[in-house]
Amino acid sequence: MSDQSILDDRSPETALEWERYFDLRWRVLREPWDQPRGSEKDELDSESFQVALWEGEVPVAAGRLHFNDPTEAQVRYMAVEPQRRGYHLGSRILGLLETRAAMEGAKRIVLNAREEAAGFYRRHGYEISGPAGLLFGSIPHVRMEKHVG
């Protein structure tokens, strides 16, 4: 894929689109660590802003934004198809989430990043604010934040 402009950015709408969206999250963020289907979802999904980059009917990158309080938004479930990495799709998703957060009044965006992804978020203006524990007992995370308002 050399032209990312052909990708449509939008939230899933139909039942099939939601199924494909959650499948991407599971395959990228849970399956490699032997986590069961369903672990890619949580109780905040229904009240969150979710967006994906779609190549036709297939999502190739995704992310979610929810608010922890009226001024603090949190990014979660950032996922890019492994074969699509290196085309700035994660940057596009993050930009869409940050724009939405600012539009809705966020002053700060927080996230828990895998240590190997911290550099990506640093390049987008996030700073490490502390440790964020281990996911699945083996994947170290750091808490990161960015002031936006």
Side-chain angles (χ1 to χ4, degrees):
M1 184 183 79
S2 60
D3 184 6
Q4 66 168 315
S5 64
I6 62 169
L7 300 177
D8 180 30
D9 59 84
R10 61 183 169 78
S11 298
E13 295 176 1
T14 68
L16 181 58
E17 287 176 348
W18 280 107
E19 181 182 319
R20 290 175 176 166
Y21 173 85
F22 286 123
D23 181 65
L24 171 64
R25 281 183 15 182
W26 178 74
R27 285 184 296 100
V28 173
L29 302 173
R30 299 297 189 256
E31 183 183 28
W33 291 272
D34 297 321
Q35 298 303 302
R37 285 200 183 264
S39 63
E40 74 284 0
K41 301 176 185 179
D42 68 30
E43 69 282 353
L44 296 176
D45 278 325
S46 63
E47 60 193 62
S48 300
F49 172 67
Q50 310 207 39
V51 68
L53 297 178
W54 300 81
E55 186 171 53
E57 299 300 314
V58 179
V60 296
R64 186 185 91 180
L65 181 83
H66 69 267
F67 274 76
N68 295 325
D69 65 41
T71 62
E72 182 183 271
Q74 183 168 354
V75 169
R76 291 206 62 204
Y77 297 110
M78 289 279 296
V80 176
E81 283 283 7
Q83 68 272 26
R84 303 290 197 209
R85 291 181 186 154
Y87 294 99
H88 308 287
L89 303 185
S91 295
R92 260 181 83 179
I93 290 289
L94 187 59
L96 292 165
L97 298 176
E98 289 176 344
T99 297
R100 181 64 175 250
M103 285 176 29
E104 293 189 17
K107 303 296 181 204
R108 179 169 78 135
I109 301 174
V110 298
L111 55 86
N112 295 331
R114 294 175 184 181
E115 285 184 347
E116 71 264 7
F120 166 81
Y121 292 107
R122 274 196 196 106
R123 288 190 298 277
H124 290 86
Y126 289 80
E127 296 179 2
I128 294 176
S129 59
L134 294 175
L135 184 63
F136 312 132
S138 64
I139 307 168
H141 280 62
V142 293
R143 182 77 163 185
M144 300 186 81
E145 64 182 64
K146 178 179 183 176
H147 294 276
V148 293

